Amino acid sequence: MKYYDKLIFELSREGRKGYELPANEFAEAVKYEIPGNLLRQESADLPEVSELDVVRHYTNLSTKNFGVDTGFYPLGSCTMKYNPKINEEIAALPQFAAIHPLQSEDTVQGALELYFNLQRALSEIAGLGEFTLNPFAGAHGELTGLMVMRAYHEQNGDCKRRKVIVPNSAHGTNPASAMVAGLEVVEVKSKPNGSVDVEDLKPLLNDEVAGIMMTNPNTLGMFETEILEIARLVHDAGGLLYYDGANLNPLLGKVRPGDMGFDIMHINLHKTFSTPHGGGGPGSGPVGVRKGLEHLLPNPRVTRDENGKFHISESKDSLGSISAFCGNFGVMLKAYAYILSLGKENIKMVGPMATLNANYIKENLKDDYLLPIEGVCKHEFVFDGLKDKSTGVTTLNVAKRLLDYGFHAPTIYFPLLFHESMMIEPTETESIETLDEFIEVMHKVAQEARETPEDVKNAPLSTLVRKLDETGAAKHPILNYKALKAQQA
Ligand SMILES: *Cc1c(COP(=O)(O)O)cnc(C)c1O
């Protein structure tokens, strides 16, 4: 281990300082303003290091991390596409970054115009009437959308509609959001090819159903060809269709959820529209609704009057507020920059390119990896581990071994439909050279599994930390230096 890879507390030397503060003129005043029991009695136990130590420590650490900017990251369902740097530059412009949410409308007309334009662009892309940009994440969008669904039925006096149908292949946030929205989850089965079983759906539809949550293409990357029939059945039963549009990649320029019959949806700007994610945020999960439901969207919204002036408006029919102010504006700027820089023509290429890349990998690897569902996939697909299971090498082993070769692992053990799921999504931003390199490495790992399985089982061999005790980390997390010291003592 290099010296600067040590914990920052281990680099600490008593009395060493990396800063100089002016004399505190307010110390006396603070004593009167803050109650004595809340005042710190002794100084905080912080690492004492020079500026250079700090710079070397964190710069070294940053090179240990894996990111889209350092390597291929085929994380299915999470869409780790490249985030063009121009997006960051635009979001950082002081004209945007330095405005305050409480400024008067007159002083932020430009920002409001952009906000309004993004609402319109998403409506056009999704084929829906109106969008709110307020939710902070995909799951937050789901909750907002389900609150719209619930409010719609309640306004119709249809209060017993509390059941939401969710396919057993759905993303985990779907049933969780339904529960948080006070609705009851009913599971509909998938057919062996992964699509919703229409015959299983029919008997579930009755006057207690609020709606169905779906994503299309589904979690297995397969297009639900019976979607129009499903939409007809659910609407005839008085329910609404919710679309989980976290990953809109494959649809861009090809199909629109609104045209498939969906009434409500969310989009993850931090997946489809190329804004960075991971590490917990910031995200943005705008929610769209078809015409006739827009009055229920949360407050506030940005509107334009007949003179072309923009306003932050509140509607009295709205379900209320679900965020502070108007959501994560910085993320919206990045997404808007991405949409404009692609333009109407190029955005149509995103879906086909993402689809082509996924199929290219799938077809080139299915001799070594088990493909449970044949056929053309959309932007992602799922392998059920290695084809040859006799070596005892698992999906987890393969995932760890990929790190040794400089690739991030795919999503593993999700969806739950297979025991050894490996969900691969290359995205449209990768070159054929990168895809070929990945294919070669995946073949090499399969060969190692046959010939030197211990190498794969013990992977990663070359990373700073080796295989971690993930269960232990989740059950007994050590979150600070004191806890680490206590454990070592
Ligand atoms: C990522 C994802 C979500 C949740 O989005 P968050 O922003 O992480 O809350 C929901 N559904 C699907 C299909 C996703 O891939």
Side-chain angles (χ1 to χ4, degrees), residues 76-79 136-140 142 171-174 215 219 244-247 266 268 270-271 283-284:
S77 181
C78 285
T79 312
F136 290 122
H140 196 198
E142 289 172 27
H171 193 271
T173 51
N174 290 188
T215 180
T219 305
D244 179 340
N247 313 290
H266 80 271
N268 280 24
H270 52 289
K271 286 179 182 167
S284 178

Side-chain angles (χ1 to χ4, degrees), residues 66 398-409 460 462-463:
F66 199 101
V398 173
K400 297 286 181 197
R401 187 62 173 147
L402 281 173
L403 295 174
D404 283 330
Y405 290 110
F407 290 112
H408 196 280
S462 64
T463 46

Side-chain angles (χ1 to χ4, degrees), residues 261-481:
F262 285 93
D263 305 286
I264 309 170
M265 75 175 294
H266 80 271
I267 297 176
N268 280 24
L269 296 186
H270 52 289
K271 286 179 182 167
T272 306
F273 293 99
S274 193
T275 71
H277 61 111
S284 178
V287 169
V289 293
R290 70 161 159 76
K291 284 226 151 45
L293 294 175
E294 60 271 40
H295 60 288
L296 296 168
L297 285 174
N299 284 329
R301 297 182 25 76
V302 173
T303 51
R304 182 171 59 188
D305 67 20
E306 57 279 10
N307 302 320
K309 212 170 160 233
F310 297 94
H311 302 282
I312 300 175
S313 327
E314 306 249 327
S315 144
K316 62 175 181 5
D317 300 324
S318 155
L319 55 78
S321 167
I322 49 95
S323 62
F325 304 107
C326 298
N328 271 334
F329 187 52
V331 180
M332 294 162 204
L333 291 168
K334 295 176 204 182
Y336 192 56
Y338 174 73
I339 292 171
L340 287 192
S341 54
L342 282 185
K344 200 172 170 184
E345 290 312 311
N346 290 315
I347 213 162
K348 288 185 185 153
M349 294 294 292
V350 170
M353 294 286 289
T355 299
L356 180 63
N357 282 358
N359 281 283
Y360 183 77
I361 294 182
K362 170 171 69 67
E363 291 304 310
N364 274 294
L365 286 179
K366 66 181 188 181
D367 52 344
D368 269 338
Y369 294 84
L370 185 60
L371 182 65
I373 295 166
E374 281 280 354
V376 178
C377 65
K378 292 296 171 285
H379 63 308
E380 64 192 359
F381 63 93
V382 180
F383 282 134
D384 188 6
L386 280 160
K387 214 170 191 174
D388 178 3
K389 300 264 191 289
S390 70
T391 63
V393 171
T394 63
T395 280
L396 177 67
N397 300 148
V398 173
K400 297 286 181 197
R401 187 62 173 147
L402 281 173
L403 295 174
D404 283 330
Y405 290 110
F407 290 112
H408 196 280
T411 296
I412 57 172
Y413 299 110
F414 178 80
L416 306 175
L417 298 174
F418 312 110
H419 286 297
E420 292 289 323
S421 286
M422 215 182 256
M423 189 180 195
I424 299 180
E425 177 182 0
T427 85
E428 75 284 0
T429 56
E430 298 299 332
S431 69
I432 188 160
E433 288 76 17
T434 304
L435 302 184
D436 283 338
E437 178 86 12
F438 177 70
I439 289 163
E440 195 187 316
V441 163
M442 287 288 278
H443 278 307
K444 197 174 334 177
V445 175
Q447 189 186 352
E448 286 177 341
R450 288 188 293 270
E451 295 169 2
T452 50
E454 291 312 307
D455 280 354
V456 189
K457 288 181 189 171
N458 291 325
L461 308 175
S462 64
T463 46
L464 180 68
V465 284
R466 299 279 307 277
K467 195 175 277 178
L468 300 168
D469 174 4
E470 287 167 17
T471 314
K475 289 202 160 166
H476 310 287
I478 297 173
L479 300 176
N480 58 33
Y481 189 63

